Amino acid sequence: MSGYHVRPATLRGQTPRYEEQRNHVEQVRDNLSAAFARDRNTLGHDEYGAGLAKKLPAIEEAVFTALQNLITELDDTSTGLHVTARAYELADRPRQPNS
């Protein structure tokens, strides 16, 4: 024994949490995208509104890139849990002679 025990089903059982979080972040992204689209032209016509309007594309890009990176990480974690569970199941299978 290596000093630890892994239950593949427990690993798989954690994937819904990551999937729920991914779905939540996707909803947040979609809501934020709609808010940007709706309110983009309401910054005002003063100096501050004009200044923000110039910066807004870069701000949006940074925000949506970060959200997409988070979604990707949550997907990768969920997939990784499945892959790791499968690897432990394969490692725990009795070996056949000459294999």
Side-chain angles (χ1 to χ4, degrees):
M1 179 127 188
S2 62
Y4 63 94
H5 176 75
V6 175
R7 293 185 182 108
T10 302
L11 289 175
R12 278 195 191 90
Q14 297 303 309
T15 61
R17 293 177 186 211
Y18 291 94
E19 292 165 357
E20 289 170 11
Q21 287 298 312
R22 183 205 59 230
N23 292 340
H24 176 73
V25 174
E26 285 177 337
Q27 186 64 51
V28 167
R29 179 202 58 202
D30 294 347
N31 291 343
L32 188 57
S33 179
F36 272 116
R38 180 189 65 234
D39 299 334
R40 183 174 287 112
N41 295 322
T42 62
L43 299 175
H45 299 290
D46 61 5
E47 177 183 341
Y48 299 107
L52 183 55
K54 289 178 185 176
K55 295 177 183 178
L56 195 56
I59 293 169
E60 284 186 55
E61 182 179 349
V63 167
F64 290 112
T65 297
L67 288 170
Q68 186 56 52
N69 288 343
L70 178 55
I71 291 166
T72 299
E73 287 296 323
L74 291 167
D75 278 336
D76 290 350
T77 301
S78 179
T79 300
L81 288 169
H82 280 290
V83 169
T84 301
R86 182 69 180 142
Y88 277 108
E89 288 169 341
L90 291 172
D92 288 342
R93 270 205 265 173
R95 294 192 179 264
Q96 300 297 322
N98 300 325
S99 61

